Amino acid sequence: MRASRLVQLLLLLQTRGRSTAPELARELEVSVRTIYRDIDALSEAGVPIFTEPGRAGGVQLVDGYRTRLTGLTTEEADAVLLAGSPSAAADLGLGTVLATAQLKVLAALPPELRGRATRIAERVHIDAPGWFHRPDETPTLAAVADALWHDRRLAVRYGRKDAVVERRLDPLGLVLKAGTWYLVGRNGTAIRSYRVGRIAAAEPTGETFDRPDDFDLATHWSEAGDDFARSMLRVRARCRIAEGHVRLLRLGFDPAAVTEALASATPPDAQGWVEVTLGAESYSVLAHGILPLGEYAEILDPPELRAQLAATAVAMADRYRRPVDHRNRRGDSPFTRGVSPQ
């Protein structure tokens, strides 16, 4: 651990020039006292490093000195592929390895390119998960990742909504989707996705396995995602929509449903309406999805869904036809609470 930190310290000084001990301590996540001990260790190893006291002082290498420790280890070369997602690298236990690899790459660049790369890192940050997303607790992720790196079979306990099941899985890949980790694993001949946050236990069986030669993680994930989205479209309805409002289907329906609806659209009739087939998880979901289109959409079939929308429209019309009785309201609206009439 200390050897890796000494390499990081040396590369930081080479790429950034003079730095203060507190700055180096924050970067390497150690105490200032540890930094001074590491500086002494580098000096004893023959590295021309010196400190200068005072407000404008700091730690730096002798001008012109360059280390040759810029070759990437196997782990560092692997970690470079996660450079766009440092949080993912940290989750997989590669955070320190990635930081060292990035420093080595910077140290090997000419000064002008090094400065440009540093400016980009200072000005661009990628935060993939959506707002208000709380990441899963993933205590088994490290064990899963270790088995993945070494092609080791796992015995896992996986929590479903109604039960905990046991599986023997060949880990083929890990996918970070919108801040959530998924394991793509093979159980027998079936390849499925498992949410890592629901894996209660993951123990090596002592067996290894051969990865399928034709397996491509990105392709599998894309196809599996499309299949899952289509599988969720369990009910369908035929409806007519004003041509200029078809694009508003995106307000209430998943992309897979919108894609299917657009593919089924008929040419507009004389009044400018098109017929489409809409899919959803349930008729209730479908009814709520079509409501934002208001009078510019009409359910044609099935009859029970048409009746449900008609009843909803009658209830809404009846409610809005009545004047608001402020004396009988229970509680204030969140939009008017604390607002006094003028």
Side-chain angles (χ1 to χ4, degrees), residues 5-26:
R5 190 177 68 244
L6 289 174
V7 171
Q8 282 187 276
L9 175 58
L10 179 55
L11 293 172
L12 276 171
L13 293 173
Q14 180 173 311
T15 56
R16 300 185 183 178
R18 179 181 299 184
S19 301
T20 66
E23 289 172 345
L24 295 170
R26 284 194 298 271

Side-chain angles (χ1 to χ4, degrees), residues 32 35 37 46 64-65 71 108 131 165 167 181 201 208 218-219 225 235 238 247 264 270 284:
V32 173
I35 291 296
R37 284 201 298 263
Y65 176 83
W131 289 107
V165 297
R167 295 286 185 269
W181 282 103
T208 59
T219 300
V235 300
R238 187 167 58 90
R247 57 187 176 82
S264 70
S284 176

